[in-house]
Amino acid sequence: MLVRHLVLVALATVEAWEASSSGRRALPLRMPPVAASVAVDSLQDVLRAAGLDEPQVEEVWERRPPGKLPGAVRQTALLEWLQRELDGEPVLHSYLCLRKAPQLMLKAGALQQLQESLDVLREEMSQLTPRQLSFLVAHTPELLLVPASQLRENATWLGATIGLGEAARAEVLAAAPKLLVAKRAAVLKNLAWLESQLDLADVGRLQRVVCRTPLCLLLSTEKTMEARVDYFRQLGVNPELLTSLVLCTPTLLHSPLGMLSHRLAWWTDEAAVARAELPALLELL
């Protein structure tokens, strides 16, 4: 072995000397690393084997988390788990999960934790059919990354804060599942805004608005809800009427301003209602 080693060293020395004397660059004795290309091919092959098409494979690969990922065997197990648990369109749903929450690839070796989180989502929104829940998870897969205990605690806190029973809480979460990962300070800020700006301090009124438009707890008060409230105030709507309008149609808090303007324009342009008369008209609706 020692002799063989000395021979290799001697050959390398001769090759380096010949290359330098002829102006050529000596070739390295070590082979270039291939681990990176193997990893790429392995993960891409796993995605293809799971049924993803080439654009989907490329998109998931480009969004992969930095650093070393669990190997091909575990990525295969992750995709098999997603496609087994998500009903309806398993290939599409698994693709959406990895595209929207690529950190799931880092959890490929922790399927039990993912299963526990999914089980909590099923419990909290038991009114949903398997297909409906699968659709919800595929579009908010970041929920799977939250530990099961944290999901349950967040759901309990939200219900207690607003005073919702289990059935009402389940409906709110199904309509706005991102409330399970929302910052509590932000939720409390929106609740305080609803109470102060729209006279919704009464628990029953507040619950009515939240249950019919759960997005009001996720929206920006400054960019979204205040802009709608200001729009109606500029029309001459007084505070009492504004509260009544929101209680009747809470989606006004996030309806596109263009749509609101278009609908009111019909009254002024087609029905010949004076702008000053719009508040009185709205009160009759």
Side-chain angles (χ1 to χ4, degrees), residues 65-70 75 78 101-110 145:
K68 185 177 180 180
L69 298 175
Q75 299 299 336
L78 171 64
Q103 295 84 356
L104 284 170
M105 288 184 273
L106 294 172
K107 291 286 189 178
L145 297 169

Side-chain angles (χ1 to χ4, degrees), residues 15-183:
E15 289 178 356
W17 178 80
E18 289 179 347
S20 62
S21 63
S22 62
R24 293 183 290 106
R25 184 178 180 182
L27 296 175
L29 285 179
R30 291 186 303 168
M31 293 295 291
V34 297
S37 62
V38 171
V40 171
D41 293 339
S42 296
L43 179 57
Q44 291 179 334
D45 287 344
V46 167
L47 296 171
R48 293 187 187 100
L52 278 68
D53 60 31
E54 286 304 316
Q56 292 172 338
V57 169
E58 187 63 24
E59 191 170 5
V60 170
W61 172 251
E62 289 178 353
R63 291 171 178 261
R64 72 193 185 282
K68 185 177 180 180
L69 298 175
V73 173
R74 290 184 174 179
Q75 299 299 336
T76 298
L78 171 64
L79 280 158
E80 290 176 347
W81 177 79
L82 286 170
Q83 296 187 358
R84 182 176 63 252
E85 294 294 331
L86 300 182
D87 194 27
E89 300 180 80
V91 174
L92 175 61
H93 289 163
S94 62
Y95 155 70
L96 289 174
C97 283
L98 296 183
R99 183 176 71 84
K100 291 173 175 287
Q103 295 84 356
L104 284 170
M105 288 184 273
L106 294 172
K107 291 286 189 178
L111 295 186
Q112 183 58 40
Q113 296 178 21
L114 298 179
Q115 183 67 58
E116 291 171 357
S117 296
L118 180 59
D119 289 343
V120 170
L121 295 177
R122 285 195 176 110
E123 294 171 9
E124 291 296 334
M125 292 171 276
S126 59
Q127 81 279 16
L128 297 180
T129 66
R131 188 178 292 261
Q132 289 172 332
L133 182 69
S134 297
F135 182 87
L136 182 148
V137 171
H139 287 81
T140 50
E142 62 270 26
L143 297 177
L144 295 174
L145 297 169
V146 182
S149 59
Q150 188 64 52
L151 286 173
R152 189 174 286 109
E153 181 183 335
N154 291 350
T156 301
W157 176 85
L158 182 69
T161 300
I162 308 173
L164 301 176
E166 289 187 8
R169 184 181 73 190
E171 293 295 336
V172 166
L173 292 177
K178 289 189 178 183
L179 283 170
L180 285 169
V181 291
K183 293 182 178 180

Side-chain angles (χ1 to χ4, degrees), residues 229-250:
V229 168
D230 288 342
Y231 174 78
F232 283 104
R233 286 172 176 162
Q234 290 171 12
L235 290 176
V237 174
N238 61 50
E240 293 77 13
L241 176 55
L242 180 58
T243 298
S244 298
L245 289 174
V246 172
L247 285 171
C248 181
T249 312

